[in-house]
Amino acid sequence: MDCKTYKTNYAKYQPPLEQAVWQTKEYEEHVEHFHQCTQCSEWVMEQTAFHKGIDASRYCCVEMAYHLSAGIGVDPYQDADVVIIHYKKYDEYGIPIKDGGTSFISISNCPWCGKLLPTSKRDLWWDTLQRLGYEETSEQEIPKEFETDEWWLKLKSD
């Protein structure tokens, strides 16, 4: 099977599939192509991430984007399919600890491509809030943009 045929048939082979479909030679060739063709397997990961609202070009590799997309719309600390999270507030990446809490093991390199990940902005978050007059964030209502990546994206663009 060539890549063009694979991509043309991609939508046809999305779950749920009836047993009669996944027992065909054509489906077997489709799956085999996916496992043997890096270009098509990366294309599938990119499509999956895109449909979950993640632009793969914003990450170090398509595999990082794909695995991060598994956490969209689910509790990443409860869902077994979520193997990595991006804590946007601090721009930190980590492996969620599935013990009922919200802890994660911080990582500094991508597990798939090995590239160095951005430096945590946790200290910058605190410093920025203190410069704005917020000393006790647990007792003060901080601006909403400080609960997401909006605050550091704004600093980056200034």
Side-chain angles (χ1 to χ4, degrees):
M1 176 176 289
D2 61 24
C3 294
K4 183 178 179 182
T5 304
Y6 177 85
K7 290 176 183 179
T8 300
N9 290 338
Y10 176 72
K12 180 168 111 175
Y13 292 124
Q14 293 308 295
L17 294 174
E18 294 180 17
Q19 186 174 3
V21 174
W22 47 268
Q23 289 182 330
T24 65
K25 176 98 169 122
E26 184 178 320
Y27 179 72
E28 185 180 310
E29 289 173 359
H30 181 81
V31 171
E32 185 176 330
H33 183 82
F34 171 80
H35 291 294
Q36 292 181 352
C37 180
T38 302
Q39 180 184 350
C40 286
S41 62
E42 287 182 357
W43 178 82
V44 167
M45 288 188 277
E46 185 175 15
Q47 297 301 304
T48 302
F50 177 79
H51 289 294
K52 291 269 196 127
I54 292 184
D55 177 1
S57 68
R58 293 189 63 211
Y59 295 91
C60 56
C61 66
V62 70
E63 288 181 80
M64 174 66 90
Y66 169 76
H67 289 287
L68 285 170
S69 75
I72 305 293
V74 299
D75 180 345
Y77 298 98
Q78 300 297 321
D79 192 306
D81 292 333
V82 179
V83 296
I84 193 161
I85 58 171
H86 180 205
Y87 193 42
K88 291 182 179 184
K89 178 178 175 177
Y90 301 134
D91 199 17
E92 294 176 336
Y93 291 83
I95 301 165
I97 298 173
K98 317 270 181 168
D99 65 356
T102 58
S103 298
F104 62 92
I105 300 166
S106 293
I107 60 171
S108 56
N109 293 77
C110 174
W112 295 279
C113 71
K115 288 187 181 171
L116 188 63
L117 296 170
T119 302
S120 170
K121 292 169 182 60
R122 187 177 294 262
D123 290 341
L124 179 61
W125 185 85
W126 287 103
D127 293 345
T128 304
L129 282 174
Q130 285 180 338
R131 278 197 307 275
L132 293 173
Y134 297 91
E135 295 295 325
E136 295 295 326
T137 58
S138 62
E139 298 172 13
Q140 294 173 285
E141 189 173 330
I142 63 171
K144 292 251 186 254
E145 66 264 20
F146 284 89
E147 293 302 323
T148 67
D149 58 357
E150 188 178 337
W151 72 272
W152 60 264
L153 290 171
K154 184 178 179 183
L155 284 178
K156 188 174 156 182
S157 67
D158 288 345

